[in-house]
Amino acid sequence: MRAGTPRAYTFLMFIDLLIFTASVLLREPILVAAFFVLLSAGILAFYGREVRVESGRVILEWGVLLKHRREITSAEILDIIDAPSSRYFVLAKYRPEALLLPAGMVVMGLLILLFSENGWVGLGWILLGAIELANHVLSAERRKTGAVGVLLMTGALMFVGYFVAPWKTVLPVLAGFLMAGVLMAASLWSSGPLIGNTLIIVTERGVYSVSYTSRSELKQLISALEGGE
């Protein structure tokens, strides 16, 4: 089990997205360097460490070089939600800031497409952002509708990419869009939104997430949060 992404990381990556967009629009190499520096710093600062589970509490830690921690006791818990078992992807409800980055990718992608000489770069942001939004807000019952929507968007972006991408990159761009769109659509059609093995912990002081790899880990984590052994 590992600690999930904290809220601060989401806002940091949104700022990084703004820097990347500015670097494409202004064609400033220093902004490209700043983008990679901030991206690396965010990963180092907020990389989720192994979760420590004890009776009545769990300890979450983040960071590679300098770690910070958060201890959660059973007394302060308001709700525990297993994301894959819920009807909707609950991050959209309990952690709405999780929608900030994919929505920003769509908006910034449009800006790059409309105002940059390398507008075709924005097409990738639009597609990836839209796919991520679908993962956050679609219910399992609407997976087929979502799959068709992803295919339609993929086709539309391929059509636009044919006209805006440099001729040497047209085929790779179209192939990349097609592969990403078809794989995502197939996944949505067969199993619904790509909800990872994530437990959402709602407390009095905030909302946290923990990623797990097996049902036994999930049972152990819930037992500890509920005050069991």
Side-chain angles (χ1 to χ4, degrees), residues 146-161:
V148 172
V150 168
L151 287 177
L152 291 175
M153 175 168 290
T154 301
L157 291 177
M158 289 178 65
F159 179 79
V160 175

Side-chain angles (χ1 to χ4, degrees), residues 57-76:
R57 68 173 184 168
V58 296
I59 300 173
L60 308 181
E61 295 179 332
W62 299 270
V64 175
L65 301 178
L66 297 174
K67 67 179 180 181
H68 49 286
R69 56 179 280 168
R70 172 75 169 88
E71 181 178 314
I72 301 175
T73 63
S74 57
E76 65 180 300

Side-chain angles (χ1 to χ4, degrees), residues 14-24 30-32 34-35 38:
F14 181 73
I15 294 173
D16 206 26
L17 176 62
L18 294 178
I19 293 175
F20 174 82
T21 304
S23 71
V24 175
I30 191 171
L31 290 177
V32 177
F35 164 76
L38 195 59

Side-chain angles (χ1 to χ4, degrees), residues 5-7 10-11 91-92 94-102 207:
T5 304
R7 178 172 294 181
T10 301
F11 289 113
L91 280 184
Y94 289 100
R95 299 186 68 184
E97 73 277 0
L99 302 178
L100 183 63
L101 191 59
V207 179

Side-chain angles (χ1 to χ4, degrees), residues 180-199:
V182 169
L183 288 176
M184 180 60 202
S187 178
L188 274 174
W189 187 280
S190 63
S191 57
L194 295 175
I195 303 174
N197 290 339
T198 303
L199 188 74

Side-chain angles (χ1 to χ4, degrees), residues 99-119:
L99 302 178
L100 183 63
L101 191 59
M105 291 177 69
V106 174
V107 173
M108 302 306 165
L110 285 171
L111 290 176
I112 293 173
L113 175 63
L114 295 175
F115 300 109
S116 173
E117 295 181 3
N118 299 315

